[in-house]
Every structure is written in C-alpha cells, then in structure tokens.
Amino acid sequence: MTAIGIYGSAGRMGRAITDQIEQAGATFAGGCEAGDDPSLIARAADVLVDFSAPAALEAHLVAARDAGTPIVVGTTGLGATQHAMIDAAAADIAVLQTGNTSLGVSLLGILVREAAARLGTDWDVEITEMHHRHKVDAPSGTAIQLGEAVARGRGTTLAEIRVDGRAGLVGARTEGTLGFGSLRGGSVIGDHSVIFASEGERLELSHRADDRSLFAKGAVRAALWLANRAPGRYRMDDVLGL
Ligand SMILES: NC(=O)C1=CN([C@@H]2O[C@H](COP(=O)(O)OP(=O)(O)OC[C@H]3O[C@@H](n4cnc5c(N)ncnc54)[C@H](OP(=O)(O)O)[C@@H]3O)[C@@H](O)[C@H]2O)C=CC1
Ligand SMILES: O=C(O)C1=N[C@H](C(=O)O)C[C@H](O)C1
C-alpha cells in the first residue's frame, strides 16, 4: 500500500485529505506542521502532499528532494520564486503542482483555452472567484491557472495581459487585458467564473465546488498517480488523461 505524508496536516485540506486516504486504499505516513522536522515524513512516505503555505514550501521541497520522494504541491499563492524551486526539484523527483485538484476545473481550463483561442480580442475576458473568509491569497490559484489558459489560447502570457484589483479612476478597459475579481465571505468552498464579454452578448464558463472532500479526493488520486513516476513536473491534466 502507498504511504502518503501530509505537509499542513492539521489544516482544512490536511484534515480532509487524511479522511480520504484509507478509502482510497492507501495508508497515512504521518503529518507535518510548522515547527516539525519536514525530513521525517519525507523519509517515511512513498509520496507527499503539500497543502500548507507558500513560505513553507521551500523546506518541504528540499526534504522531498533529499529523500527522493515525489510530492504533490496544492498550496496556492505561489510566486516566481516558488515556481523556480518547483522546477529545480522536478529535475530530481516527480512534482505535481496544481491550484485545483478537481476534474471539473481541469476540464474548465481546456474549455477556456479553446474559447479564448476562437473568440477575438474584441471579446473582453474577466475572471471572478469567491472563497471562504479564511482564505489568505488572491487571486486564487485556480483563477491564475484559468488566466494562464486564456493567455495560452491567445498566444500570449498571463504576465502580459493581467490586471489586478481595479480601484478608483482607472480609465477605460484596455483591449486584450484580463481582469481578476476576488470575493471573500462565509464558508464558500470555491466558485470560479471566466466571463467572455462582447458587444451585446456574454459567455460565462463556471465551476462551483460544493464540498472540500472533492479537492481531498483529487489530491489523493494525484498522489497515488505520482508515487512511482519519473522525475519531472506534472499537472492535474496528466493524472486525468485530459
Ligand atoms: N490545489 C487545490 O486543489 C487546493 C488548494 N488549497 C490550498 O491549500 C493551502 C491550504 O489551505 P487550507 O487547508 O484551507 O489552509 P489552512 O490554513 O487550514 O491549513 C494550512 C496548514 O498548513 C500549516 N502550515 C503553515 N506553515 C507551515 C509550515 N511551515 N510547515 C507545515 N505546515 C504549515 C498551517 O498551520 P498553522 O495553522 O499553525 O499556521 C495549517 O495547519 C492554501 O494555499 C489553499 O489555497 C486549498 C484547497 C484546494
Ligand atoms: O483556499 C481554498 O480553499 C482553495 N484554494 C484553491 C485556489 O486557490 O484556487 C482551490 C480551491 O478553489 C479552494
């Protein structure tokens, strides 16, 4: 049986993942919280999952790499530095990084890329997301991933087109840009909409998560898939065969 270790095990996702491990036919290799030695579970586990915090990721990747243990990175709020760390670790171990472990969001990414490729830049694109009041990063990892899908469809990069947090006298919209809107409140698990707006019509592609166990099941599925993979950087699309 595959033994799964969890970084951020006491958090909302960590607890939800722990609940899913047994019924997926795997075992729990142990958890790790801030202040614990990350190398202990890296050596005990066949595969690791990280749902902790961006500032913690480097130590977790170092521990995974030293132990030769594959790792699923579900933590969001990552910047260029963390992505470079993931790329470096992926030279030696299998690393799967995703802002969303659900099947629906992976498929949504494909539909969004296709829509962006087929609709001209006279169709404005905006992405909205809503999450629970405890979420600390914005835009969500999923929203950024969907923004990257728009950019790929348009043959550009997200950095080239993104507009964050409009406020005040910002002027009229610049053609070809992509705006993000983030809402926070209550216990919302995770809602995302990609809105294509043209003169006189709008196309909205949306995903709503009803239960956090959805992400936990996806994380365990990704971990089991990753456990014996060759070194490299993988995506949820690889797991799902999309
Ligand atoms: N990819 C996906 O599908 C999903 C990704 N997420 C992402 O997962 C992450 C966690 O979310 P969530 O569970 O809701 O958040 P929580 O705040 O509930 O959990 C995070 C956990 O990580 C712990 N932690 C913080 N720093 C460290 C550290 N240095 N070493 C080990 N553990 C640490 C926290 O401990 P403490 O409380 O003591 O700080 C806490 O227990 C977020 O980035 C979120 O956006 C969430 C859902 C789905
Ligand atoms: O913090 C959360 O809860 C979630 N985070 C992920 C993200 O940032 O996209 C995925 C999901 O929407 C829930």
Side-chain angles (χ1 to χ4, degrees), residues 17-234:
I17 292 168
T18 308
D19 290 346
Q20 296 300 328
I21 285 179
E22 211 170 290
Q23 64 196 79
T27 57
F28 180 47
C32 176
E33 280 298 301
D36 296 342
D37 177 355
S39 70
L40 298 179
I41 63 162
R43 287 197 295 266
D46 298 312
V47 61
L48 297 154
V49 297
D50 183 304
F51 286 82
S52 60
L57 185 61
E58 181 173 13
H60 300 166
L61 287 171
V62 167
R65 202 173 176 179
D66 287 350
T69 309
I71 181 167
V72 174
V73 177
T75 299
T76 59
L78 307 182
T81 312
Q82 283 94 16
H83 280 290
M85 288 172 194
I86 291 171
D87 287 336
D92 293 332
I93 55 170
V95 186
L96 186 151
Q97 183 271 321
T98 182
N100 198 302
T101 54
S102 76
L103 169 62
V105 162
S106 285
L107 185 58
L108 179 62
I110 293 169
L111 298 175
V112 164
R113 186 181 60 206
E114 187 66 22
R118 286 170 183 259
L119 300 173
T121 50
D122 56 325
W123 285 73
D124 302 326
V125 192
E126 300 275 322
I127 297 182
T128 64
E129 50 103 346
M130 181 157 186
H131 285 86
H132 51 92
R133 59 167 69 107
H134 305 289
K135 185 162 179 63
V136 296
D137 57 308
S140 69
T142 308
I144 290 169
Q145 223 165 269
L146 293 170
E148 285 165 349
V150 170
R152 271 200 303 279
R154 293 211 160 151
T156 183
T157 63
L158 181 56
E160 284 293 320
I161 59 174
R162 81 184 270 178
V163 174
D164 289 288
R166 293 188 192 96
L169 261 182
V170 294
R173 197 178 193 285
T174 306
E175 187 175 324
T177 55
L178 192 171
F180 287 101
S182 297
L183 307 176
R184 297 286 175 265
S187 58
V188 177
I189 300 295
D191 292 354
H192 292 89
S193 289
V194 182
I195 304 160
F196 293 86
S198 179
E199 288 294 331
E201 58 178 323
R202 245 176 306 157
L203 170 65
E204 297 193 14
L205 299 173
S206 300
H207 179 267
R208 305 212 190 295
D210 294 333
D211 195 312
R212 192 166 281 111
S213 65
L214 164 82
F215 302 130
K217 285 178 188 151
V220 171
R221 182 171 173 182
L224 294 177
W225 181 90
L226 195 70
N228 293 308
R229 296 282 149 188
R233 182 165 177 163
Y234 299 94

